[in-house]
Amino acid sequence: MIIDCHCDALLKMWAHQVDFNNDLVLDVNYQKWLYSPVQIQCFAIYVPEYVPNESKFIVALQMVDLFHEKIIKSYSNIKWIKEKADFDRLQAIEKGAILTLEGLDCIGSDLFKLRLLIQLGVRMIGLSWNYANLAVDGIDETRRAGLTHFGIEVIELANKEQVWVDLAHVSREGFQDALQIANHVIVSHANSRSICHHRRNLDDEQIKQLIKKNGLIGITFVEKFVVNQGKATIEDLLQHIAYIIHLGGEDHLVFGSDFDGTDRFIEDLVLIADYQNLDVAIHQKFHRKQCEKMEYLNFIRHFPS
């Protein structure tokens, strides 16, 4: 079993009106997923920045509708994962789907909109996408502010509803603020900044803080997060994994591919079916128990419920 905690297939399905079954535009479609070792896939609601503010929540709801109508209800072997007990119910021949949110732009200052998204199945709340919203600054904001009062209310709601707070894309100050008050934290798609110096990657201090907080780090396959320049390979990705394990992160590693979120991935790891290549590579380099932890055990053990 492998669990992937981030992809943007819903964005492409919404933007291009493509069919989830077998459209080649999608890195994650049903046919590719079916013949991959990934048993559970997280699907992010990401509303693009070009969508007018007054339309963002409607677009988020349209993506929720796509998740339920085109993925969950369209395939009898795809099960909706809402709580930890659902992992035990999942049969070997079945796939599991989890709904997540990337960025809070779509809720504005309305906490009830976030409550509604949680009621509709969101199990992971990404606070930002690179830029500021009314809850927190993103990593690309030059003022480098942290959580607002509204942002604190968002995390208090996440704690109450027992859902993950996702710190991918968040400003360093927002990262620090959120760690202080969030009960369940994850960075769904980022790598080590010591290996690849990208602003979205995590430095050693952040990684150690996440470990201390009992949070998760989703290793991502986006080329610019893997190598500083040139083509990225699976071996380059393994360096990030090995380094985080060296820092004490063996029990905190998961995968967050970011499939459908970019067109620049690692060689031989460009769509969900290619997870078989990664599976072979990590079993050659790491101990079996380490592989099982990063592939699925860590995710399940930390899943809020």
Side-chain angles (χ1 to χ4, degrees), residues 1-243:
M1 177 196 295
I2 294 177
I3 300 175
D4 185 317
C5 64
H6 187 82
C7 85
D8 284 304
L10 293 177
L11 169 63
K12 281 188 179 177
M13 291 168 66
W14 172 82
H16 303 294
Q17 298 184 359
V18 296
D19 180 31
F20 181 68
N21 182 55
N22 60 3
D23 198 296
L24 296 180
V25 169
L26 296 171
D27 303 327
V28 178
N29 66 31
Y30 176 71
Q31 295 298 329
K32 293 173 183 175
W33 186 14
L34 187 63
Y35 295 104
S36 81
V38 175
Q39 187 168 18
I40 298 170
Q41 178 67 57
C42 294
F43 292 86
I45 302 164
Y46 166 63
V47 180
E49 64 275 14
Y50 61 77
V51 174
N53 288 336
E54 63 272 17
S55 302
K56 287 184 185 295
F57 188 63
I58 293 298
V59 171
L61 293 179
Q62 289 170 343
M63 292 186 190
V64 173
D65 185 59
L66 287 171
F67 175 81
H68 287 290
E69 295 297 320
K70 301 301 182 181
I71 298 177
I72 300 299
K73 294 182 180 179
S74 292
Y75 302 92
S76 60
N77 63 326
I78 298 180
K79 304 302 178 182
W80 181 18
I81 304 294
K82 304 182 289 294
E83 59 184 11
K84 187 171 289 190
D86 291 331
F87 294 109
D88 295 328
R89 300 186 188 105
L90 199 64
Q91 302 297 309
I93 61 172
E94 295 175 331
K95 301 290 190 181
I98 299 173
L99 187 62
T100 71
L101 176 65
E102 183 174 21
L104 291 172
D105 302 68
C106 65
I107 70 168
S109 61
D110 299 319
L111 205 60
F112 83 88
K113 292 179 179 177
L114 183 58
R115 282 197 297 270
L116 179 58
L117 290 173
I118 293 171
Q119 291 167 16
L120 292 171
V122 165
R123 302 295 299 157
M124 184 189 301
I125 300 169
L127 296 185
S128 72
W129 184 83
N130 286 348
Y131 306 115
N133 55 48
L134 296 179
V136 71
D137 270 10
I139 195 66
D140 281 348
E141 291 293 342
T142 57
R143 65 180 177 177
R144 295 190 288 271
L147 288 175
T148 64
H149 289 296
F150 179 65
I152 293 172
E153 291 181 329
V154 165
I155 294 181
E156 288 174 344
L157 177 61
N159 290 344
K160 178 183 177 182
E161 297 293 337
Q162 296 193 72
V163 298
W164 263 313
V165 173
D166 184 2
L167 303 182
H169 299 273
V170 173
S171 68
R172 186 178 183 86
E173 292 72 19
F175 183 97
Q176 300 296 334
D177 290 346
L179 281 183
Q180 299 302 312
I181 58 176
N183 291 342
H184 309 282
V185 292
I186 186 172
V187 178
S188 62
H189 50 304
N191 295 331
S192 164
R193 192 177 298 181
S194 291
I195 303 295
C196 175
H197 195 73
H198 191 282
R199 66 190 183 282
R200 284 266 314 278
N201 283 340
L202 302 175
D203 63 32
D204 290 4
E205 180 184 357
Q206 290 175 307
I207 292 171
K208 290 176 181 177
Q209 288 173 329
L210 274 171
I211 292 169
K212 185 177 180 180
K213 185 71 177 183
N214 209 24
L216 294 179
I217 305 162
I219 294 294
T220 188
F221 309 160
V222 180
E223 184 177 69
K224 62 185 177 180
F225 299 160
V226 178
V227 293
N228 292 304
Q229 59 183 2
K231 294 287 186 180
T233 66
I234 291 177
E235 183 59 37
D236 293 319
L237 191 70
L238 299 185
Q239 291 183 34
H240 288 268
I241 295 171
Y243 188 77

